[in-house]
Amino acid sequence: MSDLHLLRDERPIEGRLFFATPWGKKELPDGSVFDFDAFYENELKATAEAAGFTPVRADNIYGPQSVMAPIWRGIQQAEIVAIDFTLRNPNVAMEYMMAMLIGKRCVYLTQDPDDIPTDVRGRLRYIRYSDRYQDVSRMREELRNQLIAIRSEPVVEMALVPMAAGGTDPVPATVITVTSEFAVIEASGGRRGVLGNADVDYNRIVPDMTRLYSIGDRVTGAFDVDTGGGMKYTLLAGIPNPWPRLRTEFPSGTTISGTVLRTRDGIGAFVEVGYGIDGLIHTSTLAGRILFAGDQVVASVIRVDSDRRRISLTLDRVVSAAGPAAPVAVPAAGLAEFRPGQRLEAEVVKVVRQGDGGYLLVQLPNRRKPAMLHSSAMSPELREGLVDDDIEVGEILDVEVLRIDTVRDRITVRDLPETAS
């Protein structure tokens, strides 16, 4: 190991699960032979993938000292490390040491508790298994549960040295340029980075950064240098990304119990799901039912869309109705509140496809009557989505007011393509 310098130069990759296990066929103390490769392929790997992880196993590349570097890199990149202490394998012990140096979150397995190092045996919670069907079935369930649970634990990893190519550096900065998709920020000393619309809030991807930030605004986040040398700025440094866990724990059809956190006229009710993320029960699915903040409800998951950071729900029943403390009327905005050229966020409330065209009805802020977005006023990308039936109720669009018809109380809009500023 003299040629291996344990310097931290890689960041964790979300969802990466590193397995430190014996490999090949080995004789156990009772004289039986156990195939660790088959156990990994058929049980460990399958369980990891079912829990939403990408499993990696590097035990079989031991040989010359130089190949230890990939092992060290694999452990650094792992979100979680799984360690099998069976047979007191020296390579596994070395990988355990590496994981402990960094402070990795780990899960532990063994066929014999006596194989766990004596100085940690009483402190570790481990999963015991054998080749018996009942033990393997129980192991899979316990491993899956531990992997899901451990993701909610705080990350306490330490960098052994400041990372040359990766890591985060908390620092306040100032917005110097802003477009719909990103803002360029500058810290003292002239250091610059890009704050993208996906690095602001795990609850959403900001549809238009110009509505959130202006030149001169101060932000407090962190520089994030990726291994390719790119520099970005993020407000999410140190906050675990909840979406892989949500996707795993709340598949379509899952029933949840939650509290209505807020409602939005013409859109629906937002219900807490988990890990600080809300799901939407859209108005179109409520059949006239009105929900209020504080209502306790049971709902079913329609879909978890991690790419768009949205969870769609449907109401099953109201367990406890809070109701408003007093009727509060939110006045709808009149036509005088709008003007041609005004840019707004709009919620799709109806999709009508007619051959190679059609239209959308979209809800503007504080206006009950939807606006019309005809296919003739759509960008090529949105029109293609309409024709391909790839636009959903609840989708947020950036739009611009085209015309206001005061006689018929109508507003027509056009969508703004992603490159519009």
Side-chain angles (χ1 to χ4, degrees), residues 163-180:
M163 297 183 189
T168 54
D169 182 15
V171 63
T174 303
V175 175
I176 60 172
T177 303
V178 61
T179 71
S180 61

Side-chain angles (χ1 to χ4, degrees), residues 363-382:
Q363 199 85 47
L364 302 180
N366 296 326
R367 178 173 169 82
R368 292 190 178 91
K369 187 174 182 179
M372 166 75 78
L373 173 52
H374 194 268
S375 58
S376 61
M378 292 180 183
S379 63
E381 294 82 5
L382 186 65

